[in-house]
Amino acid sequence: MAGYIPGKLTDSAGRTGTIGLLKTLNRDELLEVLSQGFCQHCEALLEERIHQLLNKRGSESGSESGSESTVTSNNTLISNPVTGKQLARTSPPPPAAKYDILLNDGLGGSGSTSSDNGLSEEQKEHIRFSQVVRKKDFVQMEKINGKSMNVLKGLELHTKVFNAEEQKKIVECVYNLQRMGQKGQLRDRTYSEPRKWMRGKGRVTIQFGCCYNYAVDKNGNPPGILREEEVDPLPPLFKQMIKRMVRWHVLPTMCVPNSCIVNIYDEGDCIPPHIDHHDFLRPFCTVSFLTQCNILFGSSLKIVSPGEFSGPVSIPLPVGSVLILNGNGADIAKHCVPAVPGKRISITFRRMDESKLPYKFLPDPELSRIKPFIVSPSSAPQGHHQKPVINSSFVKAIVQQNQHRNDQVIKDKPDREATKTTKNDSFLCGNDDFPPLGKASKGASRR
């Protein structure tokens, strides 16, 4: 490397700092420098910045019709810092990162197709947003401290938030994180894979943003956020998920999550009855993948046997949907997930109480600038089970065209295939093994 003076962050041209040094390297040397030796957080940040530059370059080259491409190589191999895979890039560069959640993918259920008909990104987002189904009328009347109340008030179920292609990307990302945890590439308290010593016990957990202590530990720490412990920050894809949920009015802007826990279930794993700890604000949410199951709610849930529970309300939740827990549904009713029938992944997003933040926690500026998708009054959600009204006749025609195509595909499938699809349809369930709060448990006592 000509001009470099060992031991100094400067070069012969007087340029100082890391940027100055990088400018002295050729392409092969840059790839060598950036190919190894980074922690998980730095790798994820590096990958995100690379893809931002590629996206910017792609949009610039796309806007210059007939101009010569700035990319001289037709096939350049780029090493993904997180997965380690070699990604082939051709001119122009791909429109987004491998794990980006795009607004236009999966439109109509089969990815980007000619049926997009030249729609703008805003129009595509409008269509996807309008297809979200929102249920907010859950009711279970129980007598609590002598007063009759709806213990499910505050529960919301938002379906069709993440489509099949997005779910696949999220699952791939989770399994990659699991492999990193097994190899010791995540911080100690980030990844946990306990021994399966009985049915329903031993699911894998991955925590980001904070370390939550489920029960009194060997050091005498009570359940709650361990402020002195460090875990890895939210992965870029999970921040994309948060942005989607806030932008699409699934989560409120005043409670943007800054932590999450991933649960990876094997068949028979479960989550026992509990109320989530108040170190986390309300509302919080859970997204589920891979296998459909039920979540039980009620002020009193019974343990029937290992992994088996009973309660007054059982709610099935589809794949790619989001369950919101707030109000009575979060603080009066307990919830649990009985033994799951197959492999399942859930991601629970929560915002930490400001007074409980880990001592070394740093807010993510990327999550402080999320603006909800703006819709006209006539296209905003207008009640339970209703979808926003789409004013544009052109957009209406596209939606109807896509819905007709999807209906025809389902109709043409053999009965056995339809049965298989129904069986494997995924679900989103309750939250994680947070022990019931003493105060909340007493307030939720039975008649």
Side-chain angles (χ1 to χ4, degrees):
M1 186 169 65
Y4 172 60
I5 303 175
K8 294 185 180 181
L9 286 179
T10 183
D11 57 30
S12 59
R15 292 173 293 197
T16 59
T18 304
I19 300 300
L21 288 173
L22 289 174
K23 290 180 178 179
T24 67
L25 303 178
N26 60 36
R27 184 181 67 85
D28 292 335
E29 290 170 336
L30 280 172
L31 290 175
E32 181 179 352
V33 168
L34 299 176
S35 63
Q36 58 184 348
F38 293 95
C39 70
Q40 186 263 349
H41 172 56
C42 293
E43 287 177 346
L45 182 61
L46 179 62
E47 180 185 30
E48 186 175 18
R49 289 180 176 176
I50 290 173
H51 283 301
Q52 287 174 350
L53 289 174
L54 293 178
N55 295 342
K56 180 179 178 181
R57 183 186 298 176
S59 61
E60 289 175 351
S61 62
S63 62
E64 297 175 3
S65 178
S67 63
E68 185 175 342
S69 174
T70 58
V71 183
T72 58
S73 173
N74 289 331
N75 272 304
T76 304
L77 287 179
I78 301 176
S79 178
N80 184 319
V82 174
T83 64
K85 295 180 179 179
Q86 294 291 316
L87 304 178
R89 173 168 61 79
T90 58
S91 299
K98 175 181 179 182
Y99 291 136
D100 273 357
I101 294 181
L102 306 177
L103 295 177
N104 63 337
D105 71 347
L107 186 63
S110 58
S112 181
T113 67
S114 59
S115 65
D116 289 356
N117 288 335
L119 292 176
S120 67
E121 291 302 311
E122 184 177 359
Q123 289 172 316
K124 294 173 185 177
E125 183 174 17
H126 194 153
I127 293 174
R128 287 287 307 276
F129 175 80
S130 71
Q131 292 173 338
V132 175
V133 180
R134 308 167 194 266
K135 177 176 172 58
K136 305 180 182 182
D137 58 355
F138 295 99
V139 177
Q140 171 63 23
M141 301 304 297
E142 297 185 23
K143 189 162 286 189
I144 307 297
N145 294 331
K147 295 183 179 180
S148 180
M149 67 170 60
N150 178 13
V151 297
L152 300 186
K153 184 178 181 180
L155 286 187
E156 299 180 11
L157 177 60
H158 301 252
T159 58
K160 300 184 180 180
V161 178
F162 300 103
N163 63 28
E165 184 63 27
E166 293 163 351
Q167 293 171 43
K168 180 181 177 182
K169 293 177 181 178
I170 294 167
V171 169
E172 287 176 354
C173 177
V174 169
Y175 280 139
N176 180 63
L177 291 168
Q178 182 180 20
R179 288 190 291 270
M180 293 176 67
Q182 292 170 336
K183 295 177 182 178
Q185 296 174 346
L186 300 177
R187 291 179 177 170
D188 290 342
R189 299 303 292 263
T190 297
Y191 183 78
S192 174
E193 187 170 341
R195 179 177 61 86
K196 291 185 180 295
W197 56 278
M198 68 175 294
R199 186 173 189 266
K201 302 292 185 180
R203 73 184 184 283
V204 173
T205 60
I206 313 176
Q207 302 192 64
F208 295 102
C210 73
C211 176
Y212 178 80
N213 191 34
Y214 289 96
V216 177
D217 62 18
K218 60 183 180 181
N219 298 320
N221 295 312
I225 295 174
L226 298 179
R227 304 185 68 188
E228 70 281 359
E229 295 287 349
E230 289 187 74
V231 297
D232 288 285
L234 289 166
L237 177 64
F238 289 10
K239 290 191 286 186
Q240 291 280 347
M241 294 175 68
I242 291 172
K243 291 176 185 177
R244 163 72 60 82
M245 292 186 289
V246 174
R247 184 161 172 79
W248 286 10
H249 303 262
V250 176
L251 286 171
T253 55
M254 79 326 187
C255 199
V256 177
N258 53 15
S259 72
C260 80
I261 181 166
V262 180
N263 285 283
I264 303 175
Y265 301 74
D266 284 329
E267 181 180 349
D269 286 344
C270 68
I271 292 182
H274 68 281
I275 289 176
D276 283 55
H277 203 287
H278 278 78
D279 279 2
F280 301 99
L281 303 180
R282 274 60 169 152
F284 54 91
C285 72
T286 299
V287 190
S288 290
F289 308 92
L290 294 181
T291 301
Q292 178 166 318
C293 59
N294 294 328
I295 180 170
L296 305 184
F297 280 93
S299 62
S300 179
L301 300 177
K302 296 180 180 179
I303 299 177
V304 178
S305 62
E308 299 300 328
F309 316 107
S310 66
V313 179
S314 178
I315 302 175
L317 303 160
V319 292
S321 61
V322 183
L323 178 67
I324 302 293
L325 290 89
N326 197 12
N328 293 346
D331 297 331
I332 300 298
K334 297 178 183 179
H335 59 275
C336 66
V337 178
V340 297
K343 286 186 175 295
R344 175 181 183 260
I345 290 174
S346 70
I347 307 177
T348 297
F349 293 95
R350 290 178 289 245
R351 184 173 184 84
M352 296 176 279
D353 186 296
E354 293 292 326
S355 65
K356 303 295 183 178
L357 292 173
Y359 295 121
K360 295 184 179 181
F361 177 81
L362 295 175
D364 192 325
E366 190 176 345
L367 298 178
S368 65
R369 303 186 296 268
I370 309 174
K371 296 182 180 180
F373 184 61
I374 299 176
V375 293
S376 62
S378 60
S379 64
Q382 300 174 17
H384 309 316
H385 304 287
Q386 293 188 9
K387 299 179 182 179
V389 176
I390 305 175
N391 293 323
S392 168
S393 58
F394 175 64
V395 175
K396 280 184 180 179
I398 296 299
V399 173
Q400 291 171 354
Q401 177 183 351
N402 291 328
Q403 289 176 340
H404 175 74
R405 184 178 68 246
N406 291 339
D407 291 342
Q408 190 63 40
V409 170
I410 295 174
K411 181 179 178 182
D412 292 342
K413 284 186 177 181
D415 291 342
R416 62 178 182 275
E417 187 66 25
T419 301
K420 180 180 178 181
T421 303
T422 302
K423 181 178 179 181
N424 293 331
D425 220 11
S426 284
F427 165 98
L428 136 13
C429 298
N431 292 310
D432 319 292
D433 269 342
F434 293 161
L437 292 176
K439 182 176 180 181
S441 298
K442 293 177 182 177
S445 59
R446 297 186 70 188
R447 186 181 332 184

